[in-house]
Amino acid sequence: MSKKPEVIFKYIFTYDYNPVYVNGAHGGVSPRGDLVVNFYLERPPLPNEITHEVNPNGTIGAETGVEPEDFAQSLVRFVPTGVVLNYQTARELHHWLGEKVRELETLEEHKAAMRAAAQQPGGEGVQH
């Protein structure tokens, strides 16, 4: 029986490789037909400055001002990175992500089953 041809991919990481957490993406199709995906981390903003009263005893008192003025109504979408994909790569990534989502769903189903079993009378501990 003949063995199928194989290829080995070696992964090389730059010294500054640093995975980042993202919780959203924005983008679309470019004029050249590529898919542009900009990943972001959505979070509350940090103020540019905050002003506080100074109490008579020298301690910091109540907040009296914040810059920018719309601070309380704002959210930040920090965009640390983005990717540009051609059609074929986008399809392959879509397929790969679908497989990984199915793996996560299976894992979550197993966790839920384990929690349910633990809540059943006599479900605690190991059965022999």
Side-chain angles (χ1 to χ4, degrees):
M1 184 160 88
S2 172
K3 185 178 176 184
K4 290 185 178 181
E6 295 180 335
V7 63
I8 297 172
F9 291 96
K10 303 278 185 179
Y11 292 84
I12 298 172
F13 298 88
T14 63
Y15 75 93
D16 60 348
Y17 172 74
N18 184 26
V20 295
Y21 176 80
V22 298
N23 55 17
H26 183 272
V29 178
S30 76
R32 295 181 180 256
D34 293 319
L35 182 62
V36 178
V37 185
N38 297 297
F39 295 101
Y40 61 78
L41 169 63
E42 192 171 77
R43 62 171 177 76
L46 294 171
N48 294 334
E49 63 182 52
I50 297 177
T51 304
H52 284 265
E53 294 177 340
V54 177
N55 296 323
N57 65 0
T59 61
I60 296 175
E63 182 180 302
T64 59
V66 65
E67 175 66 36
E69 291 180 13
D70 67 349
F71 174 75
Q73 295 82 33
S74 299
L75 286 173
V76 170
R77 285 185 171 171
F78 176 72
V79 183
T81 192
V83 295
V84 180
L85 308 150
N86 65 28
Y87 173 76
Q88 184 61 36
T89 302
R91 286 184 55 81
E92 291 168 0
L93 180 60
H94 178 263
H95 176 76
W96 181 84
L97 280 171
E99 289 178 346
K100 299 308 162 194
V101 167
R102 283 188 290 281
E103 287 178 25
L104 287 172
E105 289 168 344
T106 299
L107 181 61
E108 289 301 316
E109 289 169 4
H110 288 303
K111 286 180 183 178
M114 296 292 285
R115 283 191 298 270
Q119 292 176 354
Q120 297 294 323
E124 297 89 24
V126 177
Q127 295 180 352
H128 296 281

